[in-house]
Amino acid sequence: MRVAVLASGRGSNLQALIDKWLEGFLPITFVGVGSDNVNAEALLRAQKVRIPVRVFPLDDYADKKNQEIDILNWLEDLDTELLVLAGYMRVLSKYFISNATYPIINIHPSLLPAFPGLNAQKQALDYGVKVSGCTVHFVDEGMDTGPIILQEAVPVYDGDDVASLSKRILKVEHQLYPEAVRLIALGKVKREGRKVSILRES
Ligand code: GAR
């Protein structure tokens, strides 16, 4: 499966995917890593393993629509079969979603539908939940509202702050995202409306 990634920053989820791919765990080819941020560490991580990179700084375009058209053309040229958002911090427009000819997935650091949007870990702490976690979902036109593929919970402890909770969740993200990509690449993820089922190996 031909996989492209969009990332805006640190890229630790991209690194987790690359590491699992290097271990032979993912039956995929990384066709490209794109970013809206020229300084994204994710780009360096991709270059290290010779994945082609492209940057799409919003400032280079008249507006977001033109930027998205460029990203869509790039993904089309790469014959993308799956688009993975790995800390891509821009909301993809209705236009982008409806013109994408491949599924798009995202990872979010909360148990959706709780705490969508920015600063999910802070939202969880401020609310006082005892359990949080992370969610891999298909991307639709809403904000973190798409059909859920995999979720995993982590405990929230007394005395946690954003840094400690984020770290605990991130460790789980690094397992969950490669597993989701693997299941999709193996054709084991079936989507019917909002319901996603996983055909587990026997
Ligand atoms: C991750 O925690 C990811 O779940 C979150 O940003 C971080 C990116 O880290 N994504 C979102 O909040 C999307 N709404 P990374 O760049 O090290 O992978």
Side-chain angles (χ1 to χ4, degrees):
M1 173 169 264
R2 296 175 65 80
V3 174
V5 179
L6 285 175
S8 297
R10 177 180 57 185
S12 72
N13 275 291
L14 170 65
Q15 190 63 56
L17 289 164
I18 289 172
D19 290 347
K20 293 286 182 186
W21 171 64
L22 291 172
E23 284 169 25
F25 180 75
L26 299 178
I28 64 169
T29 305
F30 283 109
V31 291
V33 171
S35 183
D36 57 326
N37 172 13
V38 282
N39 297 314
E41 203 184 329
L43 296 168
L44 302 176
R45 296 178 189 272
Q47 281 168 324
K48 242 185 214 161
V49 289
R50 299 183 197 287
I51 301 169
V53 300
R54 269 284 291 277
V55 289
F56 304 91
L58 197 51
D59 288 351
D60 287 3
Y61 299 90
D63 54 25
K64 184 174 164 187
K65 180 151 184 193
N66 278 284
Q67 180 212 32
E68 288 196 340
I69 289 170
D70 225 14
I71 299 174
L72 282 165
N73 288 337
W74 172 69
L75 292 166
E76 200 68 42
D77 289 347
L78 294 172
D79 291 325
T80 301
E81 293 176 297
L82 174 69
L83 173 58
V84 173
L85 306 184
Y88 188 64
M89 299 318 263
R90 293 192 185 275
V91 178
L92 296 173
S93 72
K94 219 172 177 156
Y95 174 84
F96 189 103
I97 306 291
S98 57
N99 281 280
T101 53
Y102 31 78
I104 306 171
I105 61 171
N106 182 42
I107 189 158
H108 183 77
S110 74
L111 293 177
L112 290 170
F115 315 125
L118 290 176
N119 305 317
Q121 302 92 335
K122 180 171 187 306
Q123 291 185 56
L125 287 169
D126 289 350
Y127 198 92
V129 293
K130 302 296 185 193
V131 174
S132 191
C134 54
T135 303
V136 180
H137 63 94
F138 286 111
V139 173
D140 67 6
E141 289 163 6
M143 165 74 83
D144 300 322
T145 55
I148 290 170
I149 304 167
L150 294 177
Q151 288 188 302
E152 194 165 326
V154 306
V156 180
Y157 297 126
D158 295 348
D160 260 339
D161 57 16
V162 171
S164 62
L165 179 59
S166 300
K167 188 173 167 196
R168 194 173 309 121
I169 294 173
L170 197 62
K171 200 170 162 201
V172 177
E173 290 183 44
H174 293 165
Q175 300 300 318
L176 203 67
Y177 217 7
E179 174 64 2
V181 169
R182 190 181 74 89
L183 290 167
I184 293 169
L186 290 174
K188 293 185 179 295
V189 174
K190 209 173 98 214
R191 175 180 171 176
E192 277 174 297
R194 276 215 66 80
K195 298 279 175 62
V196 176
S197 46
I198 310 290
L199 311 169
R200 293 281 176 195
E201 294 101 314
S202 47

